[in-house]
Amino acid sequence: MYKSFFNYIYPSLIRACASLFITVPVSTYYLGPKDFGIVGIITVFSALIVPLSAIGTGWVIGANYYKLKQQEQGELIFNTLLVEVLIRSLWIFIFAGAGIFLLPVLIKSYEKSFLLYFWIFLLAEWLNGVWEIVSYTIVLQKKSRTYAFLEITQILSGVIFLIVCLVVLHLKTISLVLANLGNSLAGFLFSLIYIRKYIVRKIRKKWINEALRLSLPLVPVNLMNIVSNSIDRFFIERWLGLSQLGIYTHSLSYKNMFMMSTRAFSKTSSPEMLEGMSCNDNSKLDYTRAFLKKWFGFLTIAGTAVALFSKEAVAFLTHGKFTAAAPLVSLWFMILLIYSFGIPYNQFLFIHKKIKFVLASEVILGFVSWLFIALAIKFFGLKGAVVSVLLYFLFLYLIRKGYAMHLGCVDFEGIYFWASLALIYVLIILNISSLAFYIRILIYFLLSITVLLVFGLFNIRSFAKNIWKCSNW
């Protein structure tokens, strides 16, 4: 598992380094908060294509893959891919036409160029549909090195597109849009090259029906999820303006960098969880719990660093233009803990196909959260937006945990999650980042030693040995 984790984390580290040392400094040098705000509001609407066209890849493939022979696995992947492409293509055409009439009404600061950006984002979302299925298949095949190679190729493509557009062609806002398209195009092309060996081009009514049966109930769930993730940007643009939305959107770029590591953890642990839950293998689940405990420890050490030093880091990377995003960045880090906390219980519900419960929990809580997010933005600004989003996901995963444990799921190191969350939150609300730099260094050193002891991470020799072994592909 450790070797797979490092293979999955390599692309995340490369993406984070590319963002921190290339993408963020270059883009913030040539562009301002308003440019990021434009992209932020356009993606609010283009992202809606994902829940409407998604067929629940994780549900369909994950619930059946390990129970099938190789021939049937190929048929499952092909039919799932076919349904995904057809449904997503239909929705792309609908959205492209509807955008002509709806964008001027929905976006307060609308400009004619927004429609072109919208169409390019839609094309990128169509390309992403293929990559999502192929990448998930690679994860289930436990081919972490292959996944790392394809992910790194995507990252480099996006960076090259951005630099060419900004530095060579001297384009402005559209550079961010084209960079996203370059990333999606690379993933699409390499996905086609890879997956042709593992699909069986045979239409099976069984798998098409399975995909549609699982996907239709998931549409409102996924739609609620996307709307809940984007409703904050809608109200920020309407009430606070594009520049404030640009600050908020920039903070989301750090959140996305943070989430890369958690996705690597998910890709590493999910196959073990799915296999252990499917086969009632307690040894695999115990191993996963031990891995999760250490993961919470690493997140705590990283989170304290973000809470203590984000202000200086953001100011340096953005030439002082986006320093106002620093407090939001510290808050966003906590979503890694919340997301990691929910992974085992989501997987348990996947295995038991509790779609109705997932649907009900997300829809009901989603409606409540929209009002809560809107009020938080109105009265507390950008910080209110972040905190309200964090609370939404926390309550959602707590509800799912409760139901999963009611069905027989074990507790996955919840005590360490709460300890990590509490420590980082206390550092933020006490505004420790305002202290002298050398005092924060001392605080960070003492807290890190404590975390290493409490979470069982103090075996530095063993940890270094694992890193060395896992780095040899």
Side-chain angles (χ1 to χ4, degrees):
M1 183 181 287
Y2 285 99
K3 184 173 182 179
S4 295
F5 175 77
F6 281 101
N7 285 337
Y8 286 127
I9 202 68
Y10 287 142
S12 299
L13 293 175
I14 291 174
R15 188 185 293 273
C17 290
S19 297
L20 288 173
F21 302 113
I22 301 176
T23 304
V24 170
V26 171
S27 61
T28 55
Y29 179 80
Y30 287 95
L31 305 174
K34 182 180 178 181
D35 299 297
F36 286 86
I38 291 171
V39 172
I41 193 61
I42 294 296
T43 53
V44 167
F45 303 103
S46 63
L48 295 175
I49 200 73
V50 177
L52 292 172
S53 60
I55 61 171
T57 302
W59 291 77
V60 180
I61 299 180
N64 297 286
Y65 189 82
Y66 291 115
K67 302 175 183 178
L68 302 175
K69 296 179 180 179
Q70 186 174 354
Q71 171 79 13
E72 294 175 310
Q73 288 175 347
E75 294 175 1
L76 169 64
I77 296 168
F78 173 73
N79 284 272
T80 306
L81 191 60
L82 178 64
V83 175
E84 169 79 26
V85 169
L86 292 175
I87 293 179
R88 187 163 293 213
S89 299
L90 173 64
W91 280 109
I92 289 292
F93 283 113
I94 294 173
F95 268 57
I100 299 173
F101 307 101
L102 295 180
L103 289 185
V105 177
L106 296 173
I107 300 178
K108 184 179 179 181
S109 310
Y110 180 79
E111 299 173 13
K112 291 182 179 180
S113 59
F114 289 10
L115 182 61
L116 174 61
Y117 304 158
F118 179 64
W119 285 345
I120 296 175
F121 272 117
L122 289 180
L123 176 58
E125 293 295 353
W126 186 86
L127 298 172
N128 285 336
V130 176
W131 165 247
E132 288 168 7
I133 292 181
V134 174
S135 63
Y136 190 73
T137 302
I138 296 172
V139 171
L140 292 179
Q141 291 173 338
K142 301 181 182 180
K143 295 184 177 180
S144 55
R145 278 195 277 182
T146 301
Y147 181 92
F149 170 77
L150 297 180
E151 186 88 346
I152 291 170
T153 302
Q154 278 190 299
I155 296 167
L156 296 178
S157 299
V159 171
I160 292 171
F161 265 70
L162 181 66
I163 292 176
V164 170
C165 291
L166 284 175
V167 181
V168 180
L169 301 179
H170 304 291
L171 301 176
K172 290 297 184 179
T173 308
I174 198 173
S175 299
L176 299 174
V177 183
L178 293 176
N180 180 66
L181 179 62
N183 185 293
S184 301
L185 182 60
F188 173 76
L189 294 176
F190 280 94
S191 295
L192 294 182
I193 294 171
Y194 176 83
I195 203 62
R196 72 184 194 279
K197 302 177 184 177
Y198 301 100
I199 60 174
V200 177
R201 297 175 182 84
K202 196 170 187 179
I203 296 178
R204 287 288 188 185
K205 185 178 179 181
K206 172 184 176 182
W207 298 125
I208 291 177
N209 289 339
E210 178 82 354
L212 293 175
R213 183 179 66 84
L214 288 175
S215 65
L216 291 177
L218 281 174
V219 168
V221 178
N222 291 332
L223 186 61
M224 291 293 299
N225 191 25
I226 291 293
V227 172
S228 297
N229 281 331
S230 57
I231 197 75
D232 48 354
R233 284 172 283 166
F234 176 80
F235 286 114
I236 290 172
E237 188 271 337
R238 188 155 289 269
W239 290 338
L240 304 180
L242 279 176
S243 294
Q244 284 295 295
L245 178 58
I247 296 293
Y248 186 77
T249 302
H250 182 71
S251 77
L252 291 175
S253 66
Y254 297 93
K255 171 200 168 188
N256 294 334
M257 280 189 278
F258 296 153
M259 288 296 291
M260 292 173 199
S261 61
T262 308
R263 292 189 186 104
F265 169 77
S266 177
K267 291 179 177 68
T268 305
S269 59
S270 291
E272 297 291 334
M273 289 182 190
L274 288 169
E275 194 170 355
M277 292 172 182
S278 298
C279 305
N280 294 319
D281 189 340
N282 290 328
S283 62
K284 287 186 179 294
L285 295 179
D286 290 341
Y287 187 62
T288 302
R289 291 177 64 190
F291 190 54
L292 183 61
K293 174 185 173 182
K294 294 180 179 179
W295 175 243
F296 282 138
F298 288 125
L299 288 183
T300 306
I301 293 174
T304 54
V306 172
L308 292 171
F309 308 111
S310 61
K311 184 177 181 179
E312 289 85 355
V314 173
F316 173 76
L317 292 170
T318 64
H319 318 283
K321 291 183 181 179
F322 293 82
T323 309
L328 310 182
V329 172
S330 300
L331 287 169
W332 277 130
F333 190 89
M334 292 194 292
I335 203 168
L336 274 73
L337 291 164
I338 297 171
Y339 183 80
S340 300
F341 168 74
I343 289 174
Y345 310 110
N346 283 339
Q347 298 293 355
F348 186 87
L349 295 175
F350 287 171
I351 286 294
H352 291 81
K353 299 183 180 180
K354 297 298 180 180
I355 301 175
K356 291 182 179 179
F357 177 80
V358 174
L359 171 64
S361 63
E362 195 136 358
V363 169
I364 295 172
L365 195 60
F367 278 123
V368 175
S369 72
W370 294 355
L371 176 61
F372 184 63
I373 290 171
L375 292 174
I377 293 171
K378 187 71 173 178
F379 294 104
F380 301 103
L382 298 183
K383 288 184 180 179
V386 178
V387 172
S388 58
V389 171
L390 293 176
L391 289 175
Y392 162 71
F393 282 106
L394 178 60
F395 284 120
L396 178 64
Y397 291 137
L398 283 174
I399 291 170
R400 290 182 180 177
K401 175 191 175 181
Y403 186 56
M405 294 189 70
H406 174 73
L407 295 175
C409 184
V410 298
D411 179 72
F412 280 84
E413 307 304 328
I415 187 172
Y416 295 99
F417 160 73
W418 289 111
S420 302
L421 194 69
L423 175 60
I424 296 174
Y425 185 67
V426 167
L427 290 176
I428 293 173
I429 62 174
L430 292 179
N431 197 25
I432 301 296
S433 60
S434 62
L435 297 176
F437 189 77
Y438 72 92
I439 296 177
R440 283 180 281 155
I441 290 287
L442 178 61
I443 292 174
Y444 180 66
F445 176 77
L446 294 175
L447 287 176
S448 297
I449 294 296
T450 304
V451 171
L452 288 170
L453 289 170
V454 172
F455 287 80
L457 298 173
F458 212 79
N459 192 344
I460 302 296
R461 181 180 177 184
S462 175
F463 176 62
K465 190 175 180 181
N466 278 329
I467 292 179
W468 175 255
K469 288 174 63 178
C470 295
S471 64
N472 295 320
W473 286 18

